[in-house]
Amino acid sequence: MKNQIKKIAVTASLALMTSMAFAQVAPANRNFPAPPAGGPGQLPPPPPGRPDAGPGRAFGLRTLTTLTGKITAYQTNDRYAYNSFTMQTGGQSVTVRFPEHMGKQLMSAAGKGESVSVKGFTENGPDGVNAFQLVSVSAGGKQLTDTPPALPVQPVAEAAATFTGSIRDFKRDQGGAIRAITLGNNLQIELPPPAVEQLQSSLKAGDKVKVTGFKDTPPSGVVLASGAPTIVRAQTLEVNGQTYLVR
């Protein structure tokens, strides 16, 4: 009987010591994170600053409308690739933009003067011009949809090449700043703005230049304007006996 009482006393003492140790490690007044806002089964509100924050806003949704009319002309962008057309619809002329990779199939399906039905949405482009962005189009009995081109199974490794020629002209942006050098053999040498700022006083028409760089190869489906120059992204540029690394 005495042995049993001793065992009970020892067990109670150990239990008391364990609870005291736990109380020191994890005090009762520890601050736990508050539960997310909203009731059970509801998602917490989006964090501040996200474009989908606030009532009634659905990020990523666009209201699509349909325009029907005739194509009056196709246009190219500043890289000489066709990426838009104008159409007469409802007595007005509307600019319709489409991805460059749709150029070949779209221009094959509907030429100038042909009727099309375009589904899309209106937005401001990177140039600040309001345009209708094509999502799908019915043309020439075909239904074409904006589907990004498939990526190659094995990416093609670019090889730098050397190009020479004399400066014929300069390609400038809307503000008049030089953005590329046009050579007499229909080559256009692209230069980043910092390089232009440093070289602008050293470049003049008639100067011979030697360039190493990479040809700009358009993706499948892109249609370039007739007579478009070969665009080269410069890596080094030699002019007046001095070679520069282009960055």
Side-chain angles (χ1 to χ4, degrees):
M1 182 68 177
K2 290 181 179 180
N3 291 337
Q4 187 175 1
I5 293 173
K6 287 182 180 180
K7 290 181 180 179
I8 294 174
V10 171
T11 303
S13 177
L14 290 173
L16 179 60
M17 292 174 63
T18 302
S19 63
M20 291 176 64
F22 180 79
Q24 291 178 357
V25 175
N29 61 351
R30 180 180 178 182
N31 294 323
F32 291 96
Q42 296 182 2
L43 293 175
R50 274 182 47 178
D52 55 348
R57 298 190 64 184
F59 179 64
L61 296 181
R62 297 281 190 175
T63 300
L64 300 181
T65 55
T66 301
L67 300 180
T68 302
K70 290 186 177 182
I71 296 176
T72 54
Y74 279 94
Q75 293 95 19
T76 61
N77 55 21
D78 61 354
R79 299 184 69 79
Y80 312 99
Y82 284 99
N83 75 329
S84 67
F85 61 82
T86 51
M87 63 181 295
Q88 282 293 126
T89 176
Q92 61 178 342
S93 180
V94 176
T95 298
V96 177
R97 283 199 179 95
F98 56 87
E100 293 180 9
H101 61 261
M102 289 188 68
K104 185 175 182 179
Q105 57 177 337
L106 181 55
M107 297 176 74
S108 298
K112 179 180 177 180
E114 296 189 36
S115 298
V116 292
S117 179
V118 184
K119 182 176 289 186
F121 56 90
T122 301
E123 71 170 2
N124 285 326
D127 53 2
V129 177
N130 206 36
F132 192 77
Q133 183 64 45
L134 180 149
V135 174
S136 64
V137 58
S138 178
K142 296 181 179 180
Q143 183 74 22
L144 307 178
T145 304
D146 175 14
T147 304
L151 295 175
V153 178
Q154 292 183 342
V156 179
E158 286 186 292
T162 302
F163 308 88
T164 58
S166 298
I167 298 176
R168 185 184 68 192
D169 201 356
F170 300 97
K171 182 182 179 181
R172 301 176 184 271
D173 60 18
Q174 294 180 345
I178 297 174
R179 288 293 173 261
I181 303 171
T182 304
L183 304 185
N185 45 5
N186 206 29
L187 288 174
Q188 181 172 293
I189 312 301
E190 288 196 337
L191 297 172
V196 172
E197 292 177 8
Q198 297 178 45
L199 295 172
Q200 191 162 272
S201 60
S202 304
L203 300 173
K204 61 181 183 295
D207 283 347
K208 290 185 177 181
V209 296
K210 182 178 180 180
V211 179
T212 61
F214 303 92
K215 283 186 179 181
D216 188 30
T217 304
S220 174
V222 175
V223 179
L224 298 179
S226 176
T230 299
I231 297 176
V232 176
R233 290 174 281 117
Q235 189 177 48
T236 65
L237 173 68
E238 180 183 326
V239 58
N240 298 324
Q242 179 64 54
T243 302
Y244 303 91
L245 178 65
V246 179
R247 286 288 185 269

